[in-house]
Amino acid sequence: GAVVSQHPSWVICKSGTSVKIECRSLDFQATTMFWYRQFPKQSLMLMATSNEGSKATYEQGVEKDKFLINHASLTLSTLTVTSAHPEDSSFYICSAIGRVQETQYFGPGTRLLVL
Amino acid sequence: GENVEQHPSTLSVQEGDSAVIKCTYSDSASNYFPWYKQELGKRPQLIIDIRSNVGEKKDQRIAVTLNKTAKHFSLHITETQPEDSAVYFCAASISTGNQFYFGTGTSLTVIP
């Protein structure tokens, strides 16, 4: 149990385009989802916390207009990188927790490359 | 806010030896401490966790100890195997539903 999926796993896009990443909890209802960014050989950096039905809470320094987060249902949260630029290239990972889970469970990550 | 420090950043051990990774935290309100293993390009996987009402927890070759007074916790891997090679992250949280504050990671290499 407690499986989290992400789609797509890989995305390559041109600079200036927008990219949407989906995070789904497959076998539980996720009351909270977290979005992280990870650079090579570095730790996970929390970008925002998303609660179902409410606006996401962004960490300091994360542009909310650039990284749009929507948590419309208890099983789906989306991260949209708007007007992507090469510096947005990174590994994006979500995690989710529900009412009965004892910890956060991570998705497999999405590797974004902006050309 | 919470600040989690992790040492060492890299660790090499011979197969069969033990490995110890240490973390310190700053917020005394933190009461949940998970450890994650991340292989290259993959998701972090929970390997063990401990809550502040427990001083030690063990699961086969893996153990975690917690010293609340000193605000530090450690991961112990015994009888290391090459498949233990990965990056390990510690984290601290005031509850499982709140955000995790991650350490900077330890790259463990087990030499056959």
Side-chain angles (χ1 to χ4, degrees):
Chain A
V3 178
V4 178
S5 71
Q6 266 182 257
H7 178 81
S9 55
W10 262 100
V11 59
I12 301 173
C13 69
K14 293 182 179 179
S15 186
T17 60
S18 293
V19 175
K20 180 185 281 188
I21 303 169
E22 293 185 348
C23 177
R24 292 182 184 272
S25 55
L26 299 184
D27 53 0
F28 68 99
Q29 294 185 325
T31 50
T32 305
M33 286 184 170
F34 302 86
W35 286 96
Y36 296 85
R37 185 173 180 176
Q38 187 176 35
F39 291 106
K41 297 186 179 180
Q42 292 190 23
S43 189
L44 295 107
M45 182 191 79
L46 180 67
M47 299 175 67
T49 301
S50 167
N51 292 296
E52 187 266 337
S54 62
K55 290 184 178 180
T57 302
Y58 289 80
E59 294 300 298
Q60 191 172 10
V62 178
E63 299 176 58
K64 60 180 67 177
D65 294 331
K66 180 167 185 63
F67 298 99
L68 300 178
I69 292 172
N70 183 278
H71 192 163
S73 77
L74 282 171
T75 59
L76 173 64
S77 176
T78 60
L79 167 67
T80 301
V81 183
T82 62
S83 187
H85 291 284
E87 57 266 31
D88 299 324
S89 299
S90 190
F91 192 49
Y92 293 88
I93 309 178
C94 69
S95 72
I97 189 167
R99 294 188 182 90
V100 298
Q101 280 68 38
E102 296 184 335
T103 192
Q104 295 178 24
Y105 290 89
F106 285 85
T110 296
R111 194 164 299 280
L112 170 64
L113 177 61
V114 185
L115 303 176
Chain B
E2 176 66 279
N3 180 45
V4 179
E5 296 189 355
Q6 183 172 347
H7 300 280
S9 56
T10 60
L11 179 61
S12 292
V13 298
Q14 289 291 135
E15 182 177 0
D17 288 350
S18 295
V20 180
I21 303 171
K22 298 181 179 181
C23 287
T24 61
Y25 62 100
S26 60
D27 190 346
S28 57
S30 291
N31 60 11
Y32 176 68
F33 308 92
W35 284 90
Y36 287 87
K37 175 184 180 182
Q38 187 179 29
E39 297 177 2
L40 190 62
K42 297 189 177 180
R43 78 183 83 195
Q45 297 271 19
L46 179 72
I47 55 171
I48 196 166
D49 57 7
I50 192 167
R51 298 177 190 279
S52 59
N53 58 346
V54 175
E56 184 174 357
K57 184 176 178 181
K58 190 173 182 180
D59 182 4
Q60 298 182 331
R61 297 187 296 110
I62 296 173
V64 56
T65 58
L66 170 65
N67 183 323
K68 284 176 56 180
T69 304
K71 296 198 194 72
H72 68 70
F73 56 112
S74 300
L75 177 71
H76 305 253
I77 306 174
T78 59
E79 301 172 31
T80 54
Q81 301 167 3
E83 50 266 38
D84 294 329
S85 297
V87 178
Y88 291 81
F89 293 100
C90 65
S93 173
I94 62 171
S95 75
T96 58
N98 282 40
Q99 69 180 83
F100 288 1
Y101 294 89
F102 282 90
T104 48
T106 296
S107 178
L108 172 65
T109 302
V110 179
I111 303 166

